[in-house]
Amino acid sequence: MGVSTSDPDKGVALVTVDFPPVNALPVQGWYDLADALRTAGRDPEVRCVVLAADGRGFNAGVDIKEMQRDTGHAALIGANRGCSEAFAAVYECEVPVVAAVNGFCLGGGIGLVGNADAIVASDDAVFGLPELDRGALGAATHLARLVPQHLMRALYYTSRTATAAELHAHGSVWKVVPPGALRGAALELAAEIARKDGCLIRLAKAAINGIDPVDVRRSYRFEQGFTFEANLSGVADRVRDTFGKEERA
């Protein structure tokens, strides 16, 4: 359980997340993921990183129950900062990052894949931001990198999800494969990238980030300011306290 790193192929680092049962990361998990991504990117032998997850889904966002157990705001602040660091670690990784997405990719998962350089998804993968149903805001910055503006808004306001096939049609998912072929397909793309010159691929990553029209770190932190406002006003607690109750009713 936790975050692990392996080297399945020459020039490729595989960072795997495993937080049962649904890969909803606690505060420390986000920091551990950020550290693993930055460490892999700094390794001169690595030319591409694959970000994957074990279990039922790629990522279910933050651990809401951890926040519910906290009587103050420490867990909220920690989750916001941790998410910001993990998302930035994907974007700022010195080499390209390929996200291998299985099952559900929700909330913080969108922040991760929205900052990745390429996405390979299983045909059962779904992508969405259920933030408004969880007493939170954020990651519209990253969803806007996956779908057109008006679709992003509709998905955000309704908390609906989009399928891997739909994102593939929009050009944001590189390839859609059966679940059993996901890891192999992501590693195949990473290996192709890793065959490029190591110095040149790092220059290419820096150059492409440099021409990005949106400062993703600043944009996401701006969104998080409204999350704090929702919490200070009490509306976030009111909505968050219903989390899980609908399923039990």
Side-chain angles (χ1 to χ4, degrees), residues 3-223:
V3 179
S4 61
T5 304
S6 58
D7 53 347
D9 204 348
K10 182 180 179 181
V12 177
L14 172 63
V15 175
T16 306
V17 177
D18 183 17
F19 284 89
V22 295
N23 282 323
L25 273 58
V27 170
Q28 188 57 49
W30 292 106
Y31 284 107
D32 292 344
L33 177 55
D35 288 343
L37 289 164
R38 293 189 188 281
T39 298
R42 285 194 296 264
D43 185 340
E45 299 300 316
V46 172
R47 299 180 183 181
C48 187
V49 173
V50 173
L51 174 59
D54 288 334
R56 293 162 49 191
F58 178 77
N59 190 282
V62 303
D63 187 346
I64 297 293
K65 293 180 180 178
E66 182 181 35
M67 289 188 183
Q68 290 174 326
R69 291 192 297 266
D70 183 12
T71 57
H73 291 106
L76 171 67
I77 294 171
N80 277 7
R81 290 179 176 174
C83 285
S84 181
E85 286 306 306
F87 300 170
V90 175
Y91 186 80
E92 296 166 0
C93 186
E94 295 179 28
V95 298
V97 176
V98 175
V101 182
N102 63 300
F104 44 80
C105 179
L106 306 172
I110 295 295
L112 296 172
V113 304
N115 272 353
D117 294 276
I119 303 168
V120 177
S122 59
D123 55 23
D124 65 346
V126 292
F127 302 75
L129 289 176
E131 312 306 275
L132 294 184
D133 291 340
R134 301 293 184 260
L137 298 168
T141 292
H142 311 93
L143 185 58
R145 297 167 68 82
L146 301 175
V147 297
Q149 180 70 210
H150 286 84
L151 178 55
M152 178 276 288
R153 289 171 179 255
L155 291 173
Y156 195 92
Y157 297 148
T158 63
S159 298
R160 291 194 185 192
T161 58
T163 66
E166 288 171 329
L167 264 61
H168 182 263
H170 289 295
S172 51
V173 167
W174 172 260
K175 182 181 289 188
V176 180
V177 297
L182 175 61
R183 193 70 58 90
L187 290 173
E188 181 181 16
L189 175 58
E192 182 176 349
I193 294 171
R195 287 194 288 271
K196 305 300 181 183
D197 180 85
C199 179
L200 201 58
I201 200 69
R202 290 169 185 270
L203 289 173
K205 176 66 182 277
I208 290 175
N209 279 7
I211 62 171
D212 207 317
V214 175
D215 182 336
V216 292
R217 183 186 274 266
R218 183 199 61 78
S219 180
Y220 178 59
R221 291 297 279 172
F222 176 82
E223 286 188 74

